[in-house]
């Protein structure tokens, strides 16, 4: 049904009933597949990207037009080429996992993804896979690299602390809270 109504939307994007029917059908599919969805996102959090890709295939069988699933599927394929599974033994790989949760998780949080990978790169600068994941994210979202430029020779967390202090000195407390939240 979702596919058929999506085809109707392609022919006439202004079809409001089609949109509401798609949303209702998606909601019912998500109720039926709630456990499968939870299992999929748990694999993402654990850093088991290859296994999560298999779980995602089952979800896409139920709803092949789901925009978030399609986006995550394309991203997962690229991530798996770099690192199929994260071993959560070191702090740097824990940060990779946290960053990838922002990139692949239920709620997209690209700032978390970018900061997690940058911090992982600070923790383990000799690990090429972290750099490749960061390049992957920057290639898809070049605007992230422009968010803030870390002073050369400075670590990410030190830079963020410095930025938050400058916001405090300038009386921009809400900005300082935001930066401290990122830390």
């Amino acid at each position: 049904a979702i596919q058929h109504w999506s085809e109707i939307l392609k022919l006439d994007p202004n079809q409001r009933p089609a949109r509401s029917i798609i949303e209702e059908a998606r909601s019912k599919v998500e109720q039926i597949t709630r456990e499968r969805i939870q299992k999929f996102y748990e694999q993402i959090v654990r850093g088991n990207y290859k296994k999560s890709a298999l779980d995602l295939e089952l979800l896409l069988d139920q709803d092949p037009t789901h925009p978030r699933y399609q986006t995550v599927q394309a991203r997962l394929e690229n991530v798996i080429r770099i690192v199929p599974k994260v071993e959560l033994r070191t702090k740097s790989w824990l940060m990779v996992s946290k960053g990838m949760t922002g990139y692949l998780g239920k709620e997209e949080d690209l700032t978390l993804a970018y900061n997690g990978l940058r911090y992982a790169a600070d923790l383990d600068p000799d690990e090429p896979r972290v750099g490749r994941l960061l390049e992957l994210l920057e290639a898809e979202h070049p605007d992230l690299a422009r968010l803030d430029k870390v002073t050369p020779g400075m670590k990410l967390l030190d830079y963020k602390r410095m930025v938050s202090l400058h916001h405090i000195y300038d009386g921009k407390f809400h900005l300082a809270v935001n930066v401290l939240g990122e830390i």
Side-chain angles (χ1 to χ4, degrees):
I2 293 171
Q3 286 176 312
H4 291 298
W5 285 107
S6 295
E7 291 298 321
I8 290 170
L9 277 178
K10 286 180 187 174
L11 296 172
D12 183 7
N14 296 323
Q15 271 285 338
R16 288 186 187 179
R19 289 188 197 285
S20 63
I21 290 170
I22 289 172
E23 287 175 23
E24 184 180 336
R26 244 185 213 131
S27 173
K28 288 182 181 182
V29 168
E30 287 179 6
Q31 287 174 358
I32 294 167
T33 60
R34 184 176 304 135
E35 287 179 28
R36 191 175 288 160
I37 293 169
Q38 183 178 351
K39 184 179 170 186
F40 164 69
Y41 285 116
E42 285 173 2
Q43 293 298 333
I44 294 289
V45 170
R46 288 185 186 127
N48 194 349
Y49 307 122
K50 198 167 190 173
K51 172 73 172 99
S52 66
L54 296 174
D55 292 342
L56 182 58
E57 288 295 327
L58 297 172
L59 295 172
L60 280 165
D61 285 344
Q62 298 292 318
D63 184 0
T65 62
H66 195 292
R68 181 67 182 150
Y69 295 163
Q70 290 174 338
T71 300
V72 171
Q73 183 184 38
R75 288 177 177 178
L76 263 173
E77 289 170 0
N78 292 326
V79 169
I80 289 169
R81 284 188 204 108
I82 299 168
V83 57
K85 182 175 180 167
V86 171
E87 296 297 328
L88 303 175
R89 294 182 188 160
T90 64
K91 190 172 183 177
S92 65
W93 284 105
L94 284 169
M95 290 300 102
V96 168
S97 175
K98 184 65 108 173
M100 289 291 96
T101 300
Y103 185 56
L104 302 168
K106 192 171 197 168
E107 299 295 324
E108 180 180 85
D109 186 347
L110 296 176
T111 303
L112 173 66
Y114 192 60
N115 285 335
L117 291 173
R118 288 176 18 180
Y119 184 45
D122 278 355
L123 292 171
D124 193 357
D126 297 328
E127 175 54 66
R129 294 175 294 175
V130 175
R132 288 177 50 207
L133 288 171
L134 194 52
E135 289 169 5
L136 173 70
L137 184 61
E138 288 175 341
E140 187 177 322
H141 298 280
D143 52 310
L144 288 173
R146 290 185 229 117
L147 282 178
D148 46 17
K149 299 284 183 189
V150 176
T151 305
M154 188 177 260
K155 301 283 186 187
L156 177 67
L157 291 183
D158 294 334
Y159 171 77
K160 293 281 187 182
R161 287 184 193 109
M162 180 190 72
V163 168
S164 65
L165 278 174
H166 284 290
H167 287 317
I168 290 169
Y169 297 150
D170 293 340
K172 299 176 182 174
F173 304 113
H174 64 288
L175 294 176
V177 169
N178 290 342
V179 174
L180 290 169
E182 289 179 23
I183 293 172

